[in-house]
Amino acid sequence: MNDRAPRYSGVIPPVVTPLTEDGGIDRASLERLVGHLLDAGVTGLFVLGSSGETAYLTPDRQDEAVRIVTATAGGQVPVVVGAIETTTDRAVERGRAVTQLGADAVVATAPFYTRTDAAETERHFRQVAAALDLPLLAYDVPVCVHSKLDPDMLLALAADGVLAGVKDSSGDDGSFRRLALGARELPGFSVLTGHELVVDAMMLCGADGVVPGLGNVDPHGYVRLHEASLRGDWAAAKAEQDRLVALFDIVRAARPGTASATAAGLGAFKTALTLLGVIATNAVSAPMRRLDESETEAIAGCLERAGLAGVAPGS
Amino acid sequence: MNDRAPRYSGVIPPVVTPLTEDGGIDRASLERLVGHLLDAGVTGLFVLGSSGETAYLTPDRQDEAVRIVTATAGGQVPVVVGAIETTTDRAVERGRAVTQLGADAVVATAPFYTRTDAAETERHFRQVAAALDLPLLAYDVPVCVHSKLDPDMLLALAADGVLAGVKDSSGDDGSFRRLALGARELPGFSVLTGHELVVDAMMLCGADGVVPGLGNVDPHGYVRLHEASLRGDWAAAKAEQDRLVALFDIVRAARPGTASATAAGLGAFKTALTLLGVIATNAVSAPMRRLDESETEAIAGCLERAGLAGVAPGS
Amino acid sequence: MNDRAPRYSGVIPPVVTPLTEDGGIDRASLERLVGHLLDAGVTGLFVLGSSGETAYLTPDRQDEAVRIVTATAGGQVPVVVGAIETTTDRAVERGRAVTQLGADAVVATAPFYTRTDAAETERHFRQVAAALDLPLLAYDVPVCVHSKLDPDMLLALAADGVLAGVKDSSGDDGSFRRLALGARELPGFSVLTGHELVVDAMMLCGADGVVPGLGNVDPHGYVRLHEASLRGDWAAAKAEQDRLVALFDIVRAARPGTASATAAGLGAFKTALTLLGVIATNAVSAPMRRLDESETEAIAGCLERAGLAGVAPGS
Amino acid sequence: MNDRAPRYSGVIPPVVTPLTEDGGIDRASLERLVGHLLDAGVTGLFVLGSSGETAYLTPDRQDEAVRIVTATAGGQVPVVVGAIETTTDRAVERGRAVTQLGADAVVATAPFYTRTDAAETERHFRQVAAALDLPLLAYDVPVCVHSKLDPDMLLALAADGVLAGVKDSSGDDGSFRRLALGARELPGFSVLTGHELVVDAMMLCGADGVVPGLGNVDPHGYVRLHEASLRGDWAAAKAEQDRLVALFDIVRAARPGTASATAAGLGAFKTALTLLGVIATNAVSAPMRRLDESETEAIAGCLERAGLAGVAPGS
């Protein structure tokens, strides 16, 4: 893989979108978060992904988030932006909007809500790419869109210049391996995993980089993990990943049965960032509920055990 | 059920959205379609439902469709409009927009794309209703949103005045029966089925009305079916429904394996409406493909067999 | 449909399998249960269906249950027996075994556990039928086998003499309607619904009969419901069905989150039968848990409200 | 992980069950296959797994397969045998049967066909283990049983001595990582992956071994892969795995749309073994279809490309 030259590689966290108490975007917190990530050495920023609450934000709010991130990043790393919409025309509309706001690339999923098929999904990516002036990445996220992207289709779209990369959050390792093997002949095509708990393993399989939600909380850890993988120090990569897996226990802080998977996960990232002093509140979008004090304490415990600054709740 | 007085009842077709060859909304066709439906005696119009390609239309296009329908309907029947968006704030934004455009009620689904739970879904409906000045109906459509609305939750929301009705396209008859039985004590709450192939059966179970996609093509049939049910002439209702089930074969005209379920179904409705001279083209939104000539002929055959004007393709 | 002459029609309860405290089959209770059903006028008995705990019984236990039922029924009504096994050879083996034990017909599902496709499913039914000397019915139960039987395939197999009938527990009304319409030209083919909460509706759609789990508890009710449907008295059918829907609340007696759907449903049927004095215990097979005293009281309440003998727990 | 001492580790192929043309078990072929595997240095044999057509074999056939393998293996490596049945009593019955036939351990899945819950699944494993005299391994295979085993439950059962190991074919890497991390404190507990395309990655995550279907065809490759992993030579492990991923293309030889996933995969393994001269025919159980000549040629091509003896079809 020494001859790979993908445009997007390394650690590209899906930036969470800090909110104010009244539901608006918390500009100062988002700026601090971007600084926190850049300081750690991330190689890109993914705005308006699932972790960015993209599906919860109105178009205006989405635009605001993009504006803040592109302004704060100031060209230091590429800013990849989600145009996560049900179908082609809607994704194109959002893709064009974020192009105007300084995005470096656009990310789209397969159609959702509608019942689609493989041929439509392929046309969707081709038409979205054709309508935009930026590189397009495909986001494979069956847990959200309820269909899986075929690796052979992705490779064909890459070969045709339609796709610049893929973020694979499918959890289908066989498919991912196939993608990574196929990408050997597509040196510029970026194969990114969203699988934040097995980045060492996915790097071994041939990933170019990772888009870890948990990377909001511990970007240094993911940067170290990625670097260890790059230099072939798999024992170090594994040790770092194991530490991050333990840290990921923060997503289990929500009392069982009282929060959706999204609220528990996203809420944990935001709560941890609050404890670390990066963002101001752990507010999340409706209809999710916010994690409470006792859940916050559980998260503080995880942070301490993972060696992150032992910040007490409220301190 | 003689004492029921639901605000929305009878036949309320989910109006398809005719498109021009270049993908815009075909105003003249949409006006003719509304006339076609009103002439047949429908008791309401559901704009921007799944059959209305709501998930394929940008907000501007959605607004345009609503404007045309409300203007054409001119208050003759209620116009119920979908605010089908992934989460609360986005649904509220769309709900407010269509309120300004003359909608009489708003329809929302459970959150989708995100991973949600029952408590979030309940909060979602409460918050959407609280933010809008119009009655809210819930749309239960697991095939699109991948979660099922609990009938007990729906009844509780109805009792609290949050929901004015429900359109049930879940295909879960046990749940629907439970809803219909519970609605006996909620005389103003509308229990509508989206189950266009068993309207006789669902009326017998206690439905107040139906939202049939096929009702775009044969609104007279559904009006007759509904009226027969109301007067307890179940043999007539069944005969009419059986005829409509045969007509529904138009959705099987697309060559197997070459069209998604949405493209096949929606495409068939539009093609039939073209053959009937109601709308100008059978164009559908990207990334769907349009039905072709041989498929159109198959649909023409179904129309003839169902006793609809024997219009030849192209005539 | 006056010219229909299906071999299996009317009310054919899926007989539960009473167990002794130590997990054996309770012969006396099973004999009483069969008597209870025959007295009510059922037109057939379905042994070793899902409600009969077929998936929980070893082959020897299954044989014992069949022997008891066929002996007790003594030819008064047909005894239809499940050969519910993962694949063809295993289903044939069980089908042959129950043939020896006096079954009148065999019931098989699509293959399960394995990943199958439509062609294999069709071959499965053809090969099972060819290997047996008894009529074969297909059992369409996607909730258990995770695939749906195509109504066109079922009709083709019926036309070829492979299938004598189908028990549809798919909950797919469009498919069921299609089946019922297609069966008009197959007068001997039995279209049975397993949909115990909408029997009135399914009879209106063209069902020949019903296989209701709840029919173990209230066979008289289902017989009245079926008879009202047959004579076209849909108001009476609906009233009876509505009463039975209320009675079905017994399946909600298990404390939420403490029992699987099977344990809650099956356990409720057995508990109700215990309260009614028909069977001796509400024991269920491992790994299910048995309903306890407070749950039993809730079920007693449902029985009383539904007008069944107000038997107190323990009396 | 140097202090791990799991009883089952290394390469433990799920042995396919060769059949004769008339559907019986082909003893000579099965003996040769066991020899082929032992010669390659596998550390165990898993009989009656999914690849062994367990769900297709009657109990007598299952017994026959176990007898042949235990006799042929002659104690050289442990023979782990599936008792893959719908529920507890049935699994116990099969577990006892194979205990008599010389199995060294028993493998059971979660209940299937029935609707189960987590508490029942846990009781199931506890009761099966209690009823058997052999070590019990859990088989996590959601694609077959439609539920996922919770890693925390598995670890608790391991700590209680109920489970001696797990074969994870869930494809859920987060869960697998959790399991592997938890197993650090359970040195005797075997964490095996069924994920044959990412064994390098899963070994890096902490697996003790692998149960690869493809290991029937190329056991030497998996043994090399496992050994490279053990000595930390991840580059060699990856190269070997990449070669095996290419070889896995044999499962794509079945013409699309003409074979189920099971028939395509299992059929490919058997066809390859026929080409390699290990077994006599590629016959598969009903209702699967057997791969044909042109599909066989495609498989021969894959074998050649993967560096396996370039055996022509028919030679």
Side-chain angles (χ1 to χ4, degrees):
Chain A
M1 287 181 298
N2 299 331
D3 54 351
R4 288 193 63 67
R7 201 189 309 217
Y8 312 101
S9 64
V11 178
I12 307 176
V15 185
V16 304
T17 308
L19 301 178
T20 59
E21 293 290 344
D22 63 358
I25 290 186
D26 179 344
R27 166 183 288 270
S29 288
L30 182 48
E31 289 170 347
R32 275 197 305 274
L33 174 56
V34 170
H36 167 70
L37 299 173
L38 292 175
D39 287 351
V42 303
T43 49
L45 297 165
F46 175 24
V47 187
L48 300 180
S50 302
S51 295
E53 283 170 81
T54 189
Y56 296 87
L57 302 176
T58 59
D60 283 352
R61 288 270 156 79
Q62 292 190 354
D63 288 351
E64 195 181 342
V66 175
R67 250 184 238 111
I68 296 169
V69 175
T70 52
T72 310
Q76 299 174 63
V77 298
V79 177
V80 174
V81 182
I84 312 293
E85 290 285 340
T86 45
T87 54
T88 311
D89 290 350
R90 290 171 61 106
V92 167
E93 181 169 274
R94 289 302 310 153
R96 286 177 175 159
V98 303
T99 301
Q100 297 303 318
L101 301 171
D104 294 292
V106 170
V107 180
T109 64
F112 55 96
Y113 183 88
T114 68
R115 284 178 286 170
T116 193
D117 65 9
E120 284 182 4
T121 299
E122 179 171 345
R123 274 202 296 274
H124 173 69
F125 285 114
R126 289 190 183 276
Q127 294 178 0
V128 171
L132 298 181
D133 293 329
L134 293 181
L136 178 67
L137 292 96
Y139 183 10
D140 192 10
V141 62
V143 74
C144 293
V145 304
H146 302 277
S147 71
K148 168 82 186 79
L149 299 180
D150 177 346
D152 292 337
M153 178 196 74
L154 292 170
L155 291 168
L157 291 176
D160 288 357
V162 172
L163 291 179
V166 62
K167 177 194 169 188
D168 182 301
S169 295
S170 72
D172 180 336
D173 289 345
S175 165
F176 187 76
R177 188 85 179 219
R178 198 169 181 81
L179 200 58
L181 284 177
R184 287 179 171 177
E185 289 161 44
L186 299 160
F189 182 65
S190 298
V191 177
L192 307 173
T193 178
H195 237 3
E196 58 208 330
L197 303 184
V198 286
V199 178
D200 50 352
M202 294 304 104
M203 290 298 295
L204 183 61
C205 291
D208 296 307
V210 59
V211 184
L214 186 63
N216 284 280
V217 177
D218 193 355
H220 291 88
Y222 279 99
V223 169
R224 284 191 300 267
L225 165 49
H226 180 254
E227 288 173 352
S229 300
L230 278 191
R231 67 177 183 265
D233 185 350
W234 297 104
K238 174 180 168 49
E240 190 66 47
Q241 179 68 79
D242 283 345
R243 191 186 60 81
L244 290 164
V245 169
L247 175 60
F248 195 71
D249 265 354
I250 59 174
V251 311
R252 300 155 60 98
R255 278 179 300 285
T258 72
S260 68
T262 302
L266 185 56
F269 296 161
K270 286 191 158 181
T271 301
L273 286 166
T274 308
L275 288 166
L276 293 171
V278 178
I279 70 174
T281 83
N282 68 349
V284 289
S285 300
M288 293 186 283
R289 79 162 176 87
R290 185 170 173 170
L291 297 191
D292 64 21
E293 210 171 318
S294 76
E295 293 164 331
T296 298
E297 286 199 45
I299 288 171
C302 292
L303 294 180
E304 271 196 74
R305 282 189 295 280
L308 294 190
V311 185
S315 72
Chain B
M1 287 183 299
N2 299 330
D3 55 350
R4 289 192 62 68
R7 203 188 307 218
Y8 311 100
S9 64
V11 178
I12 306 176
V15 185
V16 305
T17 306
L19 301 178
T20 59
E21 295 289 345
D22 63 358
I25 292 187
D26 179 345
R27 166 184 287 273
S29 287
L30 183 48
E31 289 171 347
R32 275 196 306 274
L33 173 57
V34 170
H36 168 69
L37 299 173
L38 292 175
D39 287 352
V42 303
T43 49
L45 297 165
F46 176 24
V47 187
L48 301 181
S50 303
S51 295
E53 283 171 81
T54 189
Y56 296 88
L57 302 176
T58 60
D60 284 353
R61 288 271 156 79
Q62 291 191 355
D63 288 350
E64 193 180 343
V66 175
R67 248 184 240 112
I68 296 169
V69 175
T70 53
T72 311
Q76 298 175 65
V77 298
V79 176
V80 174
V81 182
I84 311 295
E85 289 285 341
T86 44
T87 55
T88 311
D89 290 349
R90 289 171 63 106
V92 167
E93 180 168 274
R94 289 301 310 151
R96 286 177 175 159
V98 303
T99 301
Q100 298 303 317
L101 301 171
D104 293 293
V106 170
V107 180
T109 64
F112 54 95
Y113 183 86
T114 69
R115 285 178 287 172
T116 192
D117 65 8
E120 284 182 2
T121 299
E122 178 170 344
R123 275 201 295 275
H124 173 69
F125 285 114
R126 289 189 183 277
Q127 294 178 0
V128 171
L132 298 181
D133 293 329
L134 293 181
L136 179 67
L137 291 95
Y139 183 11
D140 192 11
V141 62
V143 73
C144 293
V145 303
H146 302 278
S147 70
K148 168 82 186 79
L149 300 179
D150 178 344
D152 291 339
M153 180 197 73
L154 291 170
L155 291 168
L157 291 176
D160 287 357
V162 171
L163 291 179
V166 61
K167 177 195 170 187
D168 183 300
S169 294
S170 72
D172 181 336
D173 290 346
S175 166
F176 187 76
R177 188 83 179 220
R178 198 169 181 80
L179 200 58
L181 284 177
R184 286 179 171 177
E185 289 162 42
L186 300 161
F189 182 66
S190 298
V191 178
L192 307 173
T193 179
H195 237 5
E196 59 209 329
L197 303 184
V198 286
V199 178
D200 49 353
M202 294 304 105
M203 290 297 294
L204 182 62
C205 291
D208 295 309
V210 58
V211 184
L214 186 63
N216 284 280
V217 178
D218 193 354
H220 291 88
Y222 279 99
V223 169
R224 283 191 300 268
L225 165 49
H226 180 253
E227 288 173 351
S229 300
L230 278 191
R231 67 177 185 265
D233 184 352
W234 297 105
K238 175 180 168 49
E240 190 67 45
Q241 179 69 80
D242 283 345
R243 191 185 59 80
L244 290 163
V245 169
L247 175 61
F248 195 71
D249 266 353
I250 59 175
V251 311
R252 298 153 61 97
R255 278 179 301 286
T258 72
S260 69
T262 301
L266 185 56
F269 296 161
K270 286 191 158 181
T271 302
L273 285 165
T274 309
L275 288 166
L276 293 170
V278 178
I279 71 174
T281 82
N282 67 351
V284 290
S285 301
M288 292 186 284
R289 79 161 176 88
R290 187 171 172 167
L291 298 190
D292 64 21
E293 209 171 319
S294 76
E295 293 164 330
T296 297
E297 286 199 45
I299 289 172
C302 292
L303 293 180
E304 271 195 74
R305 283 189 294 280
L308 294 190
V311 186
S315 74
Chain C
M1 286 181 299
N2 298 330
D3 54 352
R4 288 192 64 67
R7 202 187 310 216
Y8 311 100
S9 63
V11 177
I12 305 176
V15 184
V16 305
T17 307
L19 301 179
T20 59
E21 295 290 344
D22 64 358
I25 291 187
D26 179 345
R27 166 184 289 270
S29 287
L30 182 48
E31 289 171 346
R32 276 197 305 275
L33 174 57
V34 170
H36 167 69
L37 299 173
L38 293 175
D39 287 352
V42 304
T43 49
L45 297 165
F46 175 25
V47 187
L48 299 181
S50 304
S51 295
E53 283 171 79
T54 190
Y56 297 87
L57 302 176
T58 59
D60 283 352
R61 288 273 156 78
Q62 292 190 354
D63 288 350
E64 194 180 343
V66 175
R67 249 184 238 112
I68 296 169
V69 175
T70 53
T72 310
Q76 299 175 63
V77 298
V79 177
V80 173
V81 182
I84 312 294
E85 290 285 341
T86 45
T87 55
T88 310
D89 290 350
R90 290 171 63 106
V92 166
E93 179 169 274
R94 289 300 311 152
R96 286 176 175 159
V98 303
T99 300
Q100 298 303 317
L101 300 171
D104 294 293
V106 170
V107 181
T109 64
F112 54 95
Y113 183 87
T114 68
R115 285 177 287 172
T116 192
D117 66 8
E120 283 182 2
T121 299
E122 179 170 344
R123 275 201 297 273
H124 173 69
F125 285 114
R126 290 189 183 276
Q127 294 179 359
V128 171
L132 298 181
D133 293 328
L134 293 182
L136 179 67
L137 292 95
Y139 183 11
D140 192 10
V141 61
V143 74
C144 293
V145 303
H146 302 279
S147 71
K148 167 84 188 76
L149 299 180
D150 178 345
D152 292 337
M153 178 197 73
L154 291 169
L155 291 167
L157 290 175
D160 288 357
V162 172
L163 291 179
V166 60
K167 178 196 168 187
D168 182 301
S169 294
S170 72
D172 181 336
D173 290 345
S175 166
F176 187 76
R177 187 86 180 217
R178 198 169 181 81
L179 201 57
L181 283 177
R184 286 180 171 178
E185 289 162 41
L186 300 161
F189 181 65
S190 298
V191 177
L192 308 173
T193 179
H195 235 4
E196 59 208 331
L197 303 184
V198 287
V199 178
D200 50 351
M202 294 304 104
M203 290 297 295
L204 182 61
C205 291
D208 295 308
V210 58
V211 184
L214 186 63
N216 283 280
V217 179
D218 193 355
H220 292 90
Y222 278 99
V223 169
R224 284 192 298 267
L225 165 48
H226 180 253
E227 287 173 351
S229 300
L230 277 191
R231 66 177 185 266
D233 185 351
W234 296 104
K238 173 180 169 50
E240 191 65 47
Q241 179 68 80
D242 283 345
R243 192 186 59 81
L244 289 163
V245 169
L247 175 60
F248 195 72
D249 266 354
I250 59 175
V251 311
R252 299 154 60 98
R255 277 179 302 286
T258 71
S260 69
T262 302
L266 185 56
F269 296 162
K270 286 192 157 180
T271 302
L273 286 166
T274 309
L275 288 167
L276 293 170
V278 179
I279 71 174
T281 83
N282 68 349
V284 290
S285 301
M288 292 186 283
R289 79 160 176 88
R290 186 172 173 167
L291 298 191
D292 65 20
E293 209 171 318
S294 76
E295 292 164 331
T296 298
E297 286 200 45
I299 289 172
C302 292
L303 294 180
E304 271 196 73
R305 282 190 294 281
L308 293 191
V311 185
S315 73
Chain D
M1 287 182 299
N2 299 333
D3 54 352
R4 289 193 62 66
R7 202 185 312 212
Y8 312 100
S9 63
V11 178
I12 306 176
V15 185
V16 305
T17 307
L19 301 179
T20 59
E21 295 289 346
D22 64 359
I25 291 187
D26 178 345
R27 167 182 288 270
S29 288
L30 182 49
E31 289 170 347
R32 275 197 305 275
L33 174 56
V34 169
H36 167 69
L37 299 173
L38 292 175
D39 287 353
V42 304
T43 50
L45 297 166
F46 176 23
V47 187
L48 301 181
S50 302
S51 296
E53 283 172 80
T54 189
Y56 297 87
L57 302 176
T58 60
D60 283 353
R61 288 270 157 78
Q62 292 190 355
D63 288 350
E64 194 180 342
V66 175
R67 249 184 240 110
I68 296 168
V69 174
T70 53
T72 310
Q76 299 175 63
V77 298
V79 176
V80 174
V81 181
I84 311 294
E85 289 285 341
T86 46
T87 55
T88 310
D89 290 350
R90 291 170 62 107
V92 167
E93 181 168 273
R94 289 300 310 150
R96 286 177 176 159
V98 303
T99 300
Q100 297 303 316
L101 301 170
D104 294 293
V106 170
V107 180
T109 65
F112 54 95
Y113 182 87
T114 69
R115 285 177 286 170
T116 193
D117 64 9
E120 284 183 1
T121 300
E122 179 171 344
R123 274 201 297 275
H124 173 69
F125 285 114
R126 288 189 183 276
Q127 295 178 359
V128 171
L132 298 180
D133 292 329
L134 293 181
L136 179 67
L137 292 95
Y139 183 10
D140 192 11
V141 62
V143 74
C144 293
V145 303
H146 303 278
S147 70
K148 167 84 186 75
L149 299 180
D150 177 346
D152 291 338
M153 180 196 72
L154 291 170
L155 291 168
L157 291 176
D160 288 356
V162 172
L163 291 178
V166 60
K167 177 194 169 188
D168 183 301
S169 295
S170 72
D172 181 336
D173 290 345
S175 167
F176 187 77
R177 188 85 181 218
R178 198 169 182 79
L179 201 57
L181 283 177
R184 288 179 171 178
E185 290 161 42
L186 299 161
F189 182 66
S190 298
V191 177
L192 307 173
T193 180
H195 235 4
E196 60 208 330
L197 303 184
V198 286
V199 178
D200 49 352
M202 294 303 105
M203 290 298 295
L204 183 61
C205 291
D208 295 308
V210 59
V211 184
L214 186 63
N216 283 280
V217 177
D218 192 355
H220 291 88
Y222 279 99
V223 169
R224 284 191 299 266
L225 164 49
H226 180 254
E227 288 172 352
S229 299
L230 277 191
R231 68 178 184 265
D233 185 351
W234 297 105
K238 174 180 168 51
E240 190 66 47
Q241 179 68 79
D242 284 345
R243 192 186 58 80
L244 290 164
V245 169
L247 175 60
F248 195 72
D249 265 353
I250 59 174
V251 311
R252 300 153 60 97
R255 277 179 302 286
T258 72
S260 69
T262 302
L266 186 55
F269 296 161
K270 286 191 158 180
T271 302
L273 285 166
T274 309
L275 289 166
L276 293 170
V278 179
I279 70 175
T281 83
N282 67 351
V284 290
S285 301
M288 292 187 284
R289 78 162 177 87
R290 187 170 171 168
L291 297 190
D292 64 21
E293 208 171 318
S294 76
E295 293 163 332
T296 298
E297 287 199 44
I299 288 172
C302 292
L303 293 180
E304 271 195 74
R305 282 189 294 280
L308 294 192
V311 185
S315 74

